[in-house]
Amino acid sequence: MQYLVSVIHDKRELGTEAERAAVSAFNQRLKAKGHWVFAGGLGSPDTATVIDNRGEEAIFTDGPFLESKEYLAGFWVMEAPDLDVMLELAAEASKACNRKLEVRPFL
Amino acid sequence: MNTVDVRAAITRVHHEEWARIVAALTRRFRDLDIAEEAAAEAFANAVEHWPAEGLPPNPGAWLTTVAIRRAIDRLRRETKRDDKEKEAQMSYDEDRPEPSVAIEDDRLRLIFTCCHPSLALDARVALTLRMVGGLTVPEIARAFLVQETAIGQRITRAKAKIRAARIPYNLPSTEALPTRISGVLAVLYLVFNEGYLATGPDTDPVRQELTAEAIRLTRSIRALMPDDGEVAGLLALMLLIEARRSARVSATGELITLDQQDRGAWDAPLISEGHGLVRERLATGLAPGRYQILAAINAVHTSARDMRDTDWSQVVALYDLLARLDRSPIVALNRAIAVAELEGAEPALIAIEQLEDKLVGYHAYHATRADLLRRLGRTEKARAAYDQAHELAGNTAETAYLKRRRDELG
């Protein structure tokens, strides 16, 4: 079972050196225990472009699609047998990256 | 056995066996929806057959067998599900390491699943009452004065989330256990309080079906986890409050405050059971949690034969202990009520008026303030405070009491 772990942030500044080191160590543990699928940090919402090609022609506009104080700063995709295992991993991840997280299952 | 006896027997078996059957089916089929539906069908089957055929020798086993058959029938009918998924539901995963908790019981797994922290609190309450308590959707809707469709949706959505996010049917890990238990107890306490302080115009001030159900569920959790202090504490707390239920509301449906209650009308066996639990926890010498402290406070109240005999310094000391665990202004308010008895209304009033910002929307704040102002002879201010309390109170017995108190001030 795979889960998307979204990293939610509400400040502009990037992660600190210590946070990056903690995330890196956490990722190593994920890989060692077989929970790792993928992860990445994202550029700030200012760097987003919204694409809509549902009509006659593709329209490209300056993003983000939703203006909000909190934004998606990065994500993990993790493998876990059930939500309890997932929540334990997510609690560890939240501590490592020092951010709030949201967990959602893939269909 | 006549029809009336059979009906009574079915009700009894329902109380005793419902959670066990739902739990056993959930373990086997890994699906709450299938378990609930099959259990309900098995009971419907019993209602149909038992009056004519009599009760089977082992009703629980009979019901479980029927329910399992129904569940398998349903799985066979459901062609939408692919075989792989079906197979998974038909088999029980034996490979999973069992968590290191001494007690193994399907019903505990069921309770922990229904009270999972990733479900909204109102969903946990509805799901627990349905799956563990065996209440029907119309019964839950009636108890909480909510539309049946709303309760039905809450339960359906919660079951869907359990399935989609794969909330496991397992006991929590040892590390997570204390937090998860307090999550379960919060649900049971909420059910109890909604029964005890029932809100809404034209409703009974106490909804006994909810207090009774909360006590019954807490008792069964206590049987499953006899060494847990907070489980014992919550049970004691409920028993000591429930013991005063009939003395707390007058024949005309008005709240009778603690000082005016006929203490002879309190339920002695419940008090004695509650006191026994409090003593048992004290004897462990372990630091008490929130429910144990609240139970101890209620034990002090129920030990006094008269309001004047109450050991108020003990009550204040217990609230001090509680305030260290729980910084809520409501704890501070209740502490001030005890202070009023120990040191007088003036210091209590000074203490509670510091809480105004946080408690301005809470009727008990205004009711307490009104009472203290009345005792201090500040009639004008007391009247205004009674009016505010009356406006905010949702319990019919409380509003009747507050109205009379206000009117007595002239």
Side-chain angles (χ1 to χ4, degrees), chain B residues 331-398:
Chain B
V331 173
L333 177 68
N334 287 322
R335 182 187 182 277
I337 294 171
V339 167
E341 301 301 326
L342 195 64
E343 296 171 20
E346 187 72 56
L349 186 65
I350 292 167
I352 73 153
E353 287 188 338
Q354 289 171 4
L355 306 168
E356 179 163 2
D357 285 353
K358 288 170 192 151
L359 294 180
V360 72
Y362 183 45
H363 74 276
Y365 168 76
H366 298 285
T368 307
R369 188 165 166 268
D371 189 55
L372 295 171
L373 288 165
R374 178 187 58 77
R375 287 201 227 174
L376 293 166
R378 298 180 204 161
T379 313
E380 208 42 53
K381 282 183 163 179
R383 194 180 295 126
Y386 276 123
D387 281 340
Q388 275 171 296
H390 183 268
E391 209 168 289
L392 292 165
N395 181 280
T396 52
E398 281 186 85

Side-chain angles (χ1 to χ4, degrees), chain B residues 39-91:
Chain B
E41 283 178 14
F43 276 98
N45 206 302
V47 170
E48 198 181 310
H49 288 103
W50 293 1
E53 296 162 20
L55 251 64
N58 185 342
W62 188 95
L63 286 159
T64 307
T65 308
V66 172
I68 288 173
R69 264 188 229 136
R70 290 298 163 99
I72 292 172
D73 286 348
R74 173 174 157 182
L75 284 170
R76 290 210 176 108
R77 278 197 311 272
E78 281 181 6
T79 46
K80 268 184 284 174
R81 292 175 195 271
D82 65 29
D83 288 342
K84 219 174 175 184
E85 194 180 340
K86 224 188 275 181
E87 220 170 89
Q89 281 172 328
M90 310 276 267
S91 68

Side-chain angles (χ1 to χ4, degrees), chain A residues 52-72:
Chain A
D52 188 351
N53 196 14
R54 292 171 300 178
E56 302 260 301
E57 59 181 317
I59 302 164
F60 303 99
T61 44
D62 181 31
F65 77 99
L66 194 71
E67 286 287 354
S68 75
K69 196 167 140 33
E70 293 184 316
Y71 66 93
L72 184 70

